[in-house]
Amino acid sequence: MSKLVPPHGGKGLVCRLLEGAALEAEKKKAAGLKQIEISSRAKGDLIMMGIGGFSPLNGFMKKADWKNVCEKMLLSDGTFWPVPVTLDISAADAKAVKAGEEVALVRNGEVMATMKLEEIYEMTETDKKWECEKVFKGEGPDSQKFWEVAPNDHPGVKMVLAQQEYNIAGPVKVLSQGEFPTKFPGVYMTPAQLRTKMDERKWQKVAALQLRNPMHRSHEYLAKIAAEVCDGVVIHSLVGSLKPGDIPAEVRVRCIDTLVDKYFVKDHIIQAGYPLDMRYAGPREALLHATFRQNYGVNNLIVGRDHAGVGDFYGMFEAQEIFRKMPTPAEDSKRLLCEPMNIDWTFYCVKCDGMASMRTCPHGKDDRVILSGTKLRKMLSEGAEVPDHFGRDEVLVILREYYSSLTEKVEIKMQSAAAGKGM
Amino acid sequence: MSKLVPPHGGKGLVCRLLEGAALEAEKKKAAGLKQIEISSRAKGDLIMMGIGGFSPLNGFMKKADWKNVCEKMLLSDGTFWPVPVTLDISAADAKAVKAGEEVALVRNGEVMATMKLEEIYEMTETDKKWECEKVFKGEGPDSQKFWEVAPNDHPGVKMVLAQQEYNIAGPVKVLSQGEFPTKFPGVYMTPAQLRTKMDERKWQKVAALQLRNPMHRSHEYLAKIAAEVCDGVVIHSLVGSLKPGDIPAEVRVRCIDTLVDKYFVKDHIIQAGYPLDMRYAGPREALLHATFRQNYGVNNLIVGRDHAGVGDFYGMFEAQEIFRKMPTPAEDSKRLLCEPMNIDWTFYCVKCDGMASMRTCPHGKDDRVILSGTKLRKMLSEGAEVPDHFGRDEVLVILREYYSSLTEKVEIKMQSAAAGKGM
């Protein structure tokens, strides 16, 4: 008997991925359907629907769900859900299809899914702005400011505002998990696969560390605090797309492999990856992270500094605060059961003689080893020494290698350009 | 509105301490009652009943409660309670009193309480042995062995077997908190006082670190893990009596003062003391620690290695295991609501470059700084260097001072003895 938290929504894992003969038949059928090109974000969402990561969703949201989720973080049946999961199409495509019809959803030439159209609804500029205001605007002073001055600088907002004129909604049948199973073998896992691994270890209280950056000592410390008080910890990386300039998943996964190998006790740690793109929705995305973690069998999400934030758009701990303001559906099965494990800003402190956070270290700024991401990237790409205790040597080696490969690429490009100019 | 866990037993804080005019009147009356000398352990128990630390108990246990508690860890009304709280008297005293009578309970000349005798019951050698077997015998192989070979080497067992021939039971009126409020000002606290302090800080999730030894890095680490994930931590020391050779509470409190001052963030830590004597009941005593912690408003008890154990009598983590085997009374108010926060064996690890535990450090014995209590005492009393990272310098200074004062006392005694012999 599994001791893990049940999937969100009270319907078990809702997996829309077809297999075997049903898959082959659907693929054949899909070839004859109208093909609709989808975004990278929609591809990730589809795979999550396929593998049960987005239980209880069985497809993209209708207008009533979209509105309720934006406004109240509830599906129209009262189940908690924090961010819209919608699929946009162009005005031309919207005219060419009608409710009741089936369509094929395609990304870069691969048919990802078929969908039974139940609703086609317009998304005006006003609708999109309203969605952004509800979903991306935090409540802190930082958020207010960006919202008034430069919403377009926010990559999440930009993505929603760039959506096409219509949304289509309806249940999906998913035909592929894309490149993830082959690109990240042993790391990319479905909720059922992760649950099996955790059941084998008899885990019950499990924390997940959401990760989309390389893992330094500060992240390691978060995972280790959780490992001290839970049965186990899942280092759960986003292996979908990030904004340009971020470190690709392949490199991050290698860093985590090394760390797990050298600095963790195998019995209490699992590395896994999930196929979503970042939405950069800060607090609301932290809630989404907790929601799909519940489907993966995780009942504690580590929520640290600026979770799912970007730039200075959100207050440092707004994601921790939103968990306190969540709506509480009356029925237990409709509530979010994955709880936040809030941890403060963490760092190495020389006087503490170890890792600590603002909650446990009473010392001063000068005693703490803190580096901004920008400064670290500069050090790594220039081959400069990173201060002691900031990261593990084994991880820094991998990152240096990555950054120097970038520099080489730039140099090769510059040389080719120069050669092209006949110099 | 307090967010803290309610006191155990569903009756609020049951405080039997008298104050003001009622106290004066009872003192006057007590002078005319039969005086019964009580043990140090009973004095601590009485004060806990006085201040609400033993809620819902209102006096010493009758035979039915004693039996039920030994056997099932339940009072006869079904409320959880893990160890007997009884008061022994001699056969001569038992003959001189009768049920319905009031008696005065005296310790070292001070009337601690009055008690209305509701029951006088014999405790045969068989009864006492049975109690010990139920309460002190753990379930691990270590415990089995000691039980068969040398139960009298166990200080808790010895104490029970040395009890007098009868127990008396009935509700008490407590007249004094003994020396604790004046001897440990600002540290000794009643449950109501600690609750007020925690309510002022709006704490809800609170962990207690049970302490009866000086606080080294390994204990500091336990408190800090808890501080990372709870609203606050109470370093809660036993300030009652210990077995000979242990470090007295005054010295321990000074060590903790220093640590809290230099290495903790004030907002998340409180030092407090409670007046009980150690029972050395290992797993069962861990449950008692959790039970009265709930009365103090604490909902997580840190349970580490060999909690409330002594010598090698219990398995290292038997105290963590017993929480899983606890009886679960049907009514919520009768259940224990303070949960264990289980933490593994902790130490400094050179390769980890910080504190860790068996759950978080994958390295070898040679990388870890681990000292036995005996070895540490030897180093401190001989003024030898303690290995780096084992303790904080500020604490080691206090301990060295204490140990050298002991050595001086021994020398003075030896000199006086020598002088006495006319050498």
Side-chain angles (χ1 to χ4, degrees):
Chain A
M1 224 341 240
S2 176
K3 294 175 178 176
L4 300 169
V5 67
H8 179 54
K11 296 176 184 168
L13 285 178
V14 177
C15 300
R16 307 295 296 177
L17 186 68
L18 297 183
E19 284 176 335
L23 173 62
E24 293 316 312
E26 195 70 15
K27 273 187 177 171
K28 210 168 281 177
K29 190 180 77 182
L33 299 176
K34 174 163 177 64
Q35 313 279 301
I36 292 183
E37 186 71 25
I38 61 169
S39 65
S40 170
R41 186 190 80 194
K43 175 184 162 183
D45 293 348
L46 267 178
I47 298 175
M48 286 294 260
M49 291 173 201
I51 62 183
F54 270 179
S55 307
L57 303 189
N58 66 359
F60 289 100
M61 289 178 186
K62 297 183 189 175
K63 185 152 190 182
D65 286 318
W66 166 78
K67 191 162 177 285
N68 245 26
V69 164
C70 289
E71 208 162 4
K72 303 180 201 159
M73 303 202 276
L74 298 172
L75 297 172
S76 40
D77 74 352
T79 304
F80 174 79
W81 198 274
V83 299
V85 179
T86 54
L87 182 63
D88 61 312
I89 59 167
S90 67
D93 275 347
K95 265 180 207 160
V97 295
K98 58 181 186 299
E101 190 178 335
E102 281 187 283
V103 295
L105 305 179
V106 181
R107 172 77 189 166
N108 293 340
E110 184 180 17
V111 180
M112 295 301 303
T114 61
M115 176 169 161
K116 172 126 178 159
L117 289 188
E118 290 191 342
E119 211 180 289
I120 306 163
Y121 55 98
E122 200 183 347
M123 286 289 281
T124 63
E125 291 308 304
T126 314
D127 289 334
K128 289 188 224 164
K129 259 203 96 171
W130 181 79
E131 172 177 333
C132 288
E133 185 159 352
K134 291 291 169 190
V135 175
F136 293 99
K137 201 178 77 154
E139 293 184 22
D142 298 331
S143 163
Q144 301 295 341
K145 216 166 52 194
F146 105 76
W147 189 254
E148 275 152 32
V149 181
N152 264 307
D153 290 352
H154 185 296
V157 170
K158 214 166 143 182
M159 206 188 296
V160 172
L161 294 181
Q163 280 172 205
Q164 306 172 90
E165 299 85 346
Y166 285 79
N167 279 348
I168 51 176
V172 296
K173 289 177 184 162
V174 180
L175 309 183
S176 166
Q177 297 178 68
E179 71 282 17
F180 296 107
T182 49
K183 195 166 170 192
F184 302 103
V187 167
Y188 170 77
M189 268 177 234
T190 66
Q193 287 166 340
L194 182 58
R195 282 173 172 269
T196 302
K197 258 185 186 273
M198 302 197 296
D199 281 335
E200 281 165 9
R201 300 176 181 206
K202 299 193 175 58
W203 288 3
Q204 176 167 20
K205 187 174 163 66
V206 184
L209 177 67
Q210 154 68 28
L211 216 59
R212 55 168 166 139
N213 283 310
M215 205 170 164
H216 299 301
R217 292 286 301 273
S218 54
H219 308 101
E220 182 190 325
Y221 181 53
L222 298 179
K224 287 194 165 173
I225 293 169
E228 296 293 10
V229 296
C230 298
D231 298 321
V233 176
V234 181
I235 302 178
H236 209 198
S237 307
L238 178 142
V239 293
S241 296
L242 291 153
K243 62 182 168 50
D246 285 340
I247 294 179
E250 308 84 275
V251 180
R252 287 184 279 119
V253 165
R254 276 184 58 210
C255 293
I256 299 170
D257 276 342
T258 303
L259 257 184
V260 167
D261 186 45
K262 304 269 185 205
Y263 294 99
F264 281 88
V265 175
K266 306 282 173 294
D267 287 351
H268 303 296
I269 200 91
I270 294 174
Q271 179 185 185
Y274 67 94
L276 285 185
D277 285 6
M278 276 301 291
R279 281 171 154 80
Y280 301 101
R284 284 258 196 148
E285 190 161 355
L287 292 175
L288 180 67
H289 286 163
T291 308
F292 72 74
R293 254 49 173 246
Q294 185 180 328
N295 290 329
Y296 275 95
V298 164
N299 52 1
N300 278 268
L301 176 70
I302 299 171
V303 183
R305 193 168 62 98
D306 201 26
H307 190 108
V310 56
D312 296 322
F313 290 117
Y314 301 104
M316 289 220 290
F317 295 101
E318 266 187 65
Q320 298 186 354
E321 283 154 34
I322 202 170
F323 278 89
R324 285 178 217 122
K325 297 178 194 157
M326 251 194 316
T328 313
E331 282 173 52
D332 232 35
S333 66
K334 296 184 170 178
R335 278 176 45 206
L336 176 63
L337 302 177
C338 176
E339 292 181 2
M341 180 178 277
N342 294 333
I343 305 187
D344 212 310
W345 192 352
T346 58
F347 42 76
Y348 183 93
C349 167
V350 175
K351 279 209 182 125
C352 287
D353 185 33
M355 297 304 297
S357 83
M358 305 290 278
R359 296 178 70 83
T360 49
C361 163
H363 306 119
K365 233 172 141 183
D366 295 344
D367 303 312
R368 297 171 181 165
V369 182
I370 294 176
L371 279 185
S372 72
T374 320
K375 206 163 174 189
L376 175 69
R377 272 190 294 277
K378 198 166 177 290
M379 284 171 166
L380 288 171
S381 54
E382 290 175 355
E385 280 300 312
V386 173
D388 280 353
H389 313 293
F390 180 82
R392 299 293 185 186
D393 290 345
E394 296 89 339
V395 170
L396 294 177
V397 164
I398 297 171
L399 292 177
R400 272 188 222 287
E401 196 183 289
Y402 166 69
Y403 277 105
S404 70
S405 79
L406 282 190
T407 320
E408 276 164 30
K409 275 184 205 154
V410 171
E411 278 169 6
I412 290 167
K413 262 194 202 164
M414 285 173 66
Q415 282 169 5
S416 329
K421 277 181 194 159
M423 280 177 72
Chain B
M1 227 337 242
S2 176
K3 295 173 177 177
L4 300 168
V5 66
H8 179 55
K11 296 177 182 166
L13 285 177
V14 177
C15 300
R16 308 294 296 177
L17 186 67
L18 297 183
E19 284 177 334
L23 173 62
E24 291 317 312
E26 195 70 16
K27 275 187 175 172
K28 209 168 281 175
K29 191 179 78 184
L33 300 176
K34 176 161 176 68
Q35 312 280 301
I36 293 184
E37 186 71 24
I38 60 170
S39 65
S40 171
R41 186 191 80 193
K43 176 183 160 184
D45 292 349
L46 268 180
I47 298 175
M48 285 294 260
M49 291 174 201
I51 61 181
F54 270 180
S55 307
L57 303 189
N58 67 359
F60 289 101
M61 289 177 184
K62 296 182 188 175
K63 185 153 192 184
D65 286 318
W66 166 79
K67 189 161 179 286
N68 245 25
V69 164
C70 288
E71 209 163 6
K72 304 180 199 159
M73 302 202 276
L74 298 172
L75 298 172
S76 39
D77 74 353
T79 304
F80 174 79
W81 198 274
V83 299
V85 179
T86 53
L87 183 63
D88 61 311
I89 60 168
S90 66
D93 275 347
K95 265 181 206 157
V97 295
K98 59 180 185 303
E101 188 178 339
E102 281 187 283
V103 294
L105 306 178
V106 181
R107 174 76 190 167
N108 293 341
E110 184 182 15
V111 180
M112 293 301 302
T114 62
M115 176 169 162
K116 173 127 180 159
L117 289 187
E118 292 190 341
E119 211 179 289
I120 305 164
Y121 57 98
E122 198 180 350
M123 284 291 280
T124 63
E125 291 308 303
T126 315
D127 289 334
K128 289 188 226 166
K129 257 203 99 173
W130 181 78
E131 172 177 333
C132 288
E133 186 159 352
K134 290 292 169 189
V135 176
F136 293 100
K137 200 177 78 153
E139 295 183 21
D142 299 330
S143 163
Q144 301 294 344
K145 216 166 49 194
F146 103 77
W147 189 254
E148 276 153 31
V149 180
N152 263 306
D153 290 351
H154 186 297
V157 170
K158 212 166 144 183
M159 207 188 295
V160 172
L161 294 181
Q163 281 172 206
Q164 305 173 90
E165 299 85 345
Y166 284 79
N167 280 349
I168 50 176
V172 296
K173 289 178 183 161
V174 180
L175 310 183
S176 167
Q177 296 177 70
E179 71 283 18
F180 296 107
T182 49
K183 196 166 169 192
F184 302 102
V187 168
Y188 170 76
M189 268 178 238
T190 66
Q193 286 165 343
L194 182 57
R195 282 175 172 267
T196 302
K197 259 187 184 272
M198 302 197 296
D199 281 334
E200 282 165 9
R201 300 176 182 206
K202 298 192 175 57
W203 288 5
Q204 177 167 18
K205 187 175 164 60
V206 183
L209 176 67
Q210 155 68 29
L211 216 60
R212 58 172 164 134
N213 282 312
M215 204 170 165
H216 299 301
R217 291 287 302 273
S218 54
H219 308 100
E220 183 190 324
Y221 181 54
L222 299 180
K224 287 194 164 175
I225 292 168
E228 296 292 10
V229 296
C230 298
D231 298 321
V233 176
V234 180
I235 302 177
H236 209 196
S237 309
L238 179 142
V239 294
S241 295
L242 291 154
K243 62 182 169 51
D246 284 341
I247 294 179
E250 308 84 276
V251 179
R252 288 183 279 118
V253 165
R254 275 183 59 210
C255 294
I256 300 169
D257 276 343
T258 302
L259 259 184
V260 166
D261 186 43
K262 304 269 187 206
Y263 294 98
F264 280 89
V265 174
K266 306 282 174 295
D267 287 351
H268 303 295
I269 200 93
I270 293 174
Q271 179 184 184
Y274 66 95
L276 285 184
D277 285 7
M278 274 304 290
R279 280 171 155 80
Y280 300 100
R284 285 259 195 148
E285 189 161 357
L287 292 174
L288 180 68
H289 286 163
T291 308
F292 72 75
R293 255 46 174 249
Q294 185 180 327
N295 291 329
Y296 275 95
V298 165
N299 52 0
N300 278 264
L301 176 69
I302 299 171
V303 183
R305 192 168 63 98
D306 200 27
H307 190 108
V310 57
D312 296 322
F313 290 116
Y314 301 104
M316 288 223 288
F317 296 100
E318 267 188 65
Q320 297 185 355
E321 282 155 34
I322 201 171
F323 277 88
R324 286 178 216 122
K325 298 178 196 156
M326 248 194 318
T328 313
E331 282 172 53
D332 232 36
S333 65
K334 295 183 171 179
R335 278 178 45 208
L336 176 62
L337 302 176
C338 177
E339 293 180 1
M341 179 178 276
N342 294 335
I343 305 187
D344 212 311
W345 192 350
T346 59
F347 43 76
Y348 184 93
C349 166
V350 175
K351 278 210 183 123
C352 286
D353 185 32
M355 298 302 299
S357 83
M358 304 292 277
R359 297 178 68 82
T360 51
C361 163
H363 306 119
K365 231 175 143 180
D366 294 343
D367 303 312
R368 297 171 181 164
V369 182
I370 294 176
L371 279 185
S372 73
T374 319
K375 204 163 175 190
L376 176 69
R377 272 191 292 278
K378 196 165 179 289
M379 283 173 168
L380 288 171
S381 55
E382 289 173 358
E385 280 300 310
V386 174
D388 280 350
H389 313 292
F390 179 82
R392 298 294 185 184
D393 291 344
E394 296 89 337
V395 170
L396 294 177
V397 165
I398 297 170
L399 292 177
R400 272 188 220 288
E401 196 182 287
Y402 166 70
Y403 277 105
S404 69
S405 79
L406 282 189
T407 319
E408 276 164 30
K409 275 184 205 151
V410 171
E411 277 168 7
I412 290 167
K413 263 195 199 161
M414 285 174 66
Q415 283 170 6
S416 327
K421 279 182 189 161
M423 279 178 74

